[in-house]
Amino acid sequence: MEQIFKPSVIWESILAIIPSIPITMAITVVAGILGLLFGFILAVIRIRRIPVLAQLATLYISFIRGTPLLVQLFLSYYGIPMFLRMINYNFNTDFDISSISNIVFAFAAFSFNEAAYNAETIRASILSVDRKDIEAAHSMGMTGAQTMLRVILPQAMIVAIPNFGNSFINLVKATSLAYAIGVMDMMGQAKVTAGNNMRFFEAYIGLALLYWIICLIFEFIVRKLEKRFNILEREVTLSDSAQEHS
Amino acid sequence: MIQLRNIHKSFGNHHVLKGVNLTVSDGEVVSIIGASGSGKSTFLRTINFLEPADEGEITLDEISVSAAKASKEDILKLRRNTAMVFQSYNLLRHRTALENVMEALTVVQKKSRQEAKEIALEELNRVGLSDRTGYYPHQLSGGQQQRVGIARALAIRPKVMLFDEPTSALDPEMVGGVLEVIESIAREGMTMIIVTHEMNFARDVSDQVAFFDEGVILESGTPDEIFLHTREERTRQFLQQFLQRIKG
Ligand SMILES: Nc1ncnc2c1ncn2[C@@H]1O[C@H](COP(=O)(O)OP(=O)(O)O)[C@@H](O)[C@H]1O
Ligand SMILES: [Mg+2]
C-alpha cells in the first residue's frame, strides 16, 4: 500500500519551490522599499499636520490597519484595473490592462499596507528625536532639508531599525497571501506541486522550512544592522575609561 | 558689530522680553547676568532666531534684520554668522566629537571633508580634546562634551559666539576647565555674549556686564561699574543674594 507520509517528497517539493523564491523576494523588496517611502511621506504629512492631507492620511492608515490584508489584495486586484479602465474611458488613453501581471497588484497591495504600518513607526521615531539636537542643527544654519537628512532621519533610523526589521520579516511571511490573486510565489508554487502529486503535507512542510530559513537569514541581517546602527549605546572600552581618570 | 534694538517677545500673553537693547563691538565680551526666569536665554536665542522675536531689529555687521519681517534667508545668514554654545551642550548624539565639529563645515559651509577635518582637529586640540576625537557624546563627561560644543562653535569662525550658561549643567570640578577655555578664546579677541551665573568669571573676562531684570536690561556697564559701583537697587539685591548663596 501507499506510504502515509513520504519524507523524500519534502525534498522534491523544496526543489520545486526554490525557483519561485525570487518572486517572493521581489514582492518583499519592492513592498519593503515603497512601503518605507510612502510611509515616510505619510509620517511627514501627519507630523506637519498639513490640512486635508493629514486627515486623509489618518483615515488611510486607520483603514489599512482595520481591514484584512487578504481583502486589500483583492481590492488591489479588482480595483486597480477598474480604476485604469476609468482613466482610459475618461481621458481616451489606451492602457493595456490585461497585460498587467498579477504580481503588480501584489506589489501595490503590499506596498500600501506596509506604508500604513511604517508611517506610525516613522512618525514615532521622528518625534523621538531630541529637540536639543534639532536646535543645534538650526543654530549651525542648516536648512530644513539638511536638518531632516543630517540629524532627524539618522537619529530616527536608530530608533526605528528594530521595528523595521520585525516588519520586514513579517512582510516576508505575509507575501504568501499573494497566491490568492494567482501570483506564482513560493506559496503558489507549493500549491501547484502538491496538487500534482497529491502530497499536500509534504509540500507544505518543505514550504515552511524554506520560509523559516529565509526568515532566519533576515533576522541575522537585522541583528547585524541593529548593532551597527546602535551607536547610542556603544560603551566606552575599559582602557578608555581608565584613561579618562588619569 | 552686533546690535539688538527694542527686542520684544511673548509666549502667549506672557511678555518675556520688553524691549531689550544691546550693542556689542567687535572683540568685545558681554556678560549677561540676572535672576533665572528673567528672560536671558530667550533674549540670547532671539539673536539667532531659535526664538523668533515678535518685534525689534537685529544687526550683525552688514546683515540687518527686522524680527517681524525676517525671511528664511535672513535667518540662515544670521545663524551662519553666529555660533551658540548651549547649557546642555546639544551635541549631535549620532556623531563623534570630530564629526560634530566638522558637521557645519561640510554641510553648511560646503568645505571639503579634508579641510573640515583639519579645522576640526585643530579646534579640538585647542579645547584639549585631541585624544577624544572619535568618541560619541555619551562616552564623554559633561565637561568634555561642552568643550566639543565650544570647538564646534569656534570651527565655523563666527562673528559672534553666544553662550547660554555654558557651565550650569556641569559638575563643580568640571567648571574651571571650561571657563578657562572660554577665557582664552575671549583673550584672542572673539566677540562674545555670555549668559552666566559665574560672577567671578563675568568680572574677569567681560568688557561689559548687563543685568537682566524682568525682560529688560536694567543696568549695564564695565564689571567695576556693575559689581563695585552698582547703581540700581534691584541689581544690588541680586548680587547680594548671589553672594549669600555662595557663602551659605
Ligand atoms: N518656549 C517657551 N514657552 C513658554 N514660556 C517660555 C518658553 N521659554 C521660556 N519661557 C518663559 O520665559 C521666561 C524667561 O525664560 P528664560 O529666557 O529661559 O529665562 P532665563 O534664561 O533668564 O532663566 C520664563 O518665565 C519661562 O518660563
Ligand atoms: Mg536660561
Side-chain angles (χ1 to χ4, degrees), chain B residues 11 14 16 35-42 51 165:
Chain B
F11 293 109
H14 183 188
V16 175
S36 76
S38 57
K40 304 181 298 295
S41 297
T42 306
E51 296 295 357
E165 298 196 32

Side-chain angles (χ1 to χ4, degrees), chain B residues 153-172:
Chain B
L154 282 169
I156 71 166
R157 312 270 185 261
K159 291 189 164 154
V160 56
M161 279 174 85
L162 311 170
F163 293 81
D164 190 5
E165 298 196 32
T167 57
S168 291
L170 297 178
D171 291 335

Side-chain angles (χ1 to χ4, degrees), chain B residues 101-198:
Chain B
V101 183
M102 288 171 62
E103 187 75 9
L105 305 181
T106 53
V107 177
V108 178
Q109 299 184 352
K110 311 284 182 205
K111 290 192 160 69
S112 71
R113 284 193 66 79
Q114 183 55 35
E115 191 186 351
K117 190 171 173 185
E118 274 163 26
I119 296 171
L121 286 173
E122 185 187 315
E123 298 302 347
L124 283 168
N125 184 35
R126 181 154 155 197
V127 299
L129 283 179
S130 294
D131 56 343
R132 290 289 185 276
T133 56
Y135 282 50
Y136 286 96
H138 74 276
Q139 300 169 325
L140 297 168
S141 71
Q144 291 168 335
Q145 288 187 59
Q146 192 56 298
R147 282 188 274 160
V148 175
I150 294 170
R152 176 172 74 177
L154 282 169
I156 71 166
R157 312 270 185 261
K159 291 189 164 154
V160 56
M161 279 174 85
L162 311 170
F163 293 81
D164 190 5
E165 298 196 32
T167 57
S168 291
L170 297 178
D171 291 335
E173 69 269 22
M174 309 270 184
V175 172
V178 171
L179 290 182
E180 268 170 42
V181 170
I182 299 174
E183 202 167 335
S184 79
I185 299 165
R187 303 244 176 276
E188 287 170 36
M190 175 65 74
T191 313
M192 296 180 170
I193 304 176
I194 309 174
V195 174
T196 184
H197 285 304
E198 299 288 336

